Amino acid sequence: MIATENMSHKIGEGGFGSVYFGKLQNGKDVAVKLLSSLSKQGATEFLNEIDLLSRLNHRNLVSLLGYCNDFKQQMLVYEHMPCGSLKDHLHGSLANSSTLDWKTRLRVALDAAEGLEYLHVSCTPKIVHRDVKSSNILLDSRLRAKVADFGLSKMIGDDNTSHVTTTIKGSVGYLDPEYFRTSKLTEKSDVYSFGVVLLEIICGRKPIDAERSEEELSLIKWVLLYVAANEEPERQLTDILDKRMHLSKNDFKSFNDLLDLSIKCIQSEASKRPTISEIVTHLREALISVVSDDTTEENVQSFSFAEYSCSLIHAGR
C-alpha cells in the first residue's frame, strides 16, 4: 500500500491487528488498521466497526475515513492521532518521557466522557462501547482526547432495560463485574470501565500489574483498601497520586472530587453508579476549579491547551 509505504511504519497494536502510519496523496496523515489472521476479534468486529463509525460524528470520537473489505485484505483507515494513547502517557511507552499535568488529565477525562455521552444519550438506539480503556482513548497534537475502537460496541434499546448478550466482551481489568455475572449489558458497563480509567489518571498505574505484590496487583482493590484505611484526604493524596505529578493547593479539591467520582463509577452494582451525563457534569466542575478565577464554564468547554510537542512520539516510531 503506497500510503503506508508497504506497512513500514507501525504505530500500534490492538485486538483487531496492527496499526500503521500512512499519508494520503493530499498530504493528510492517517492511521491504517490491518486485520490480522490471528485477530481475536475477526471479521465480525471489523464489519461492526465500519457499520457503527459510518453512523457516528462527534469531536470526541475517532473518525473513520475509509476501509477496504477485500477477501485477501481487510483494513480500516482513521484520522491519525499523533500523540498516541492515554495509556502510553500514563504507564506505557511514553510514561518515562511524558508527564501529563493535572489540568491536562482532567481535560482528557472530560473529552472521553463527552464522547461516551454522545454514544449513550444522543444515539438512537444508544450504543455501549464495551471496551472503554486507556489504550482506546487517543490524543491529538493538542492532547485533546477521542474514543476509538468500536469493534466490540453494541447497539441497545432506549427503553432503559438491559440487553442480554450471549458472549461477554471486554478487557481484563476494566470489565463490569455485574455484566460478567449476569450477561446483562447496559451503558453502566461503560461507566464502570471509565471509572477504572479515572483511577489510572489519578494513580498513573495499570489496572492489573502482575509485577506488583498481591496486595497491589489490582488497581481497584489497592485504591479501595487504601481509601478505607486512610480517611484523611491528605494521606490519600500523598500515597495514591501519580508520583510524577505535583498538585498545587488549588488542585486539591478537584483531586478528591475525581477520586470520589471514580469510586462511585466502580461500584459492583450498576444501579449505584452515576450516568455518563452526571460524570460529564462533575468533570466540567472539576476542570473549572483548576483554571483561573475568571474562567467560566463556557470558556472551559472551549479551552485549548498550548501546542504539545509530539516529537518524542514520532522519534520513537
Side-chain angles (χ1 to χ4, degrees), residues 89 94 97-98 308-317:
H89 292 265
L94 301 175
S97 55
S98 168
Y308 179 82
S309 174
C310 292
S311 58
L312 57 96
I313 296 178
H314 292 302
R317 294 173 178 173

Side-chain angles (χ1 to χ4, degrees), residues 47-48 51-53 55-56 119 123-130 150-158 161-165 185-187:
L47 295 174
N48 186 57
D51 179 52
L52 286 177
L53 283 180
R55 305 166 184 237
L56 305 178
L119 299 177
C123 293
T124 304
K126 68 183 69 173
I127 296 172
V128 179
H129 188 280
R130 280 210 294 182
F150 293 82
L152 300 182
S153 299
K154 188 81 172 178
M155 290 186 290
I156 62 175
D158 57 0
T161 60
S162 58
H163 179 85
V164 177
T165 61
L185 178 68
T186 72
E187 59 269 39

Side-chain angles (χ1 to χ4, degrees), residues 138-292:
L138 305 184
L139 307 176
D140 68 12
S141 60
R142 296 182 302 135
L143 291 181
R144 299 307 299 261
K146 298 189 180 188
V147 179
D149 201 340
F150 293 82
L152 300 182
S153 299
K154 188 81 172 178
M155 290 186 290
I156 62 175
D158 57 0
D159 55 359
N160 294 321
T161 60
S162 58
H163 179 85
V164 177
T165 61
T166 55
T167 305
I168 305 298
K169 299 285 187 179
S171 295
V172 175
Y174 298 91
L175 190 61
D176 171 14
E178 185 169 287
Y179 170 46
F180 181 77
R181 186 176 66 254
T182 66
S183 297
K184 294 180 179 179
L185 178 68
T186 72
E187 59 269 39
K188 292 293 186 72
S189 294
D190 281 352
V191 168
Y192 181 92
S193 301
F194 189 72
V196 179
V197 172
L198 292 180
L199 289 181
E200 290 180 79
I201 288 174
I202 292 169
C203 305
R205 286 179 40 169
K206 302 176 183 178
I208 302 293
D209 192 343
E211 296 182 0
R212 294 184 180 270
S213 65
E214 184 176 351
E215 292 77 12
E216 298 187 13
L217 173 67
S218 165
L219 175 59
I220 289 178
K221 291 182 178 179
W222 175 69
V223 169
L224 292 178
L225 286 173
Y226 190 85
V227 170
N230 299 276
E231 296 182 357
E232 296 181 7
E234 292 82 0
R235 179 76 182 193
Q236 293 176 18
L237 176 63
T238 301
D239 289 350
I240 291 179
L241 185 67
D242 186 346
K243 299 300 185 294
R244 299 170 301 155
M245 183 173 55
H246 302 284
L247 297 190
S248 68
K249 292 182 179 179
N250 293 333
D251 297 332
F252 183 72
K253 182 180 184 303
S254 63
F255 166 81
N256 283 289
D257 288 344
L258 194 65
L259 179 59
D260 181 64
L261 178 62
S262 64
I263 290 175
K264 290 178 179 176
C265 290
I266 59 172
Q267 293 298 304
S268 58
E269 296 179 35
S271 61
K272 295 182 179 180
R273 302 171 201 156
T275 65
I276 195 64
S277 294
E278 291 171 333
I279 292 171
V280 166
T281 297
H282 282 293
L283 289 172
R284 283 178 181 162
E285 292 173 350
L287 187 56
I288 289 171
S289 73
V290 300
V291 297
S292 59

Side-chain angles (χ1 to χ4, degrees), residues 84-103:
S85 71
L86 178 59
K87 174 187 175 181
D88 292 336
H89 292 265
L90 294 179
H91 48 73
S93 60
L94 301 175
N96 293 328
S97 55
S98 168
T99 301
L100 303 180
D101 62 27
W102 184 240
K103 186 188 297 182

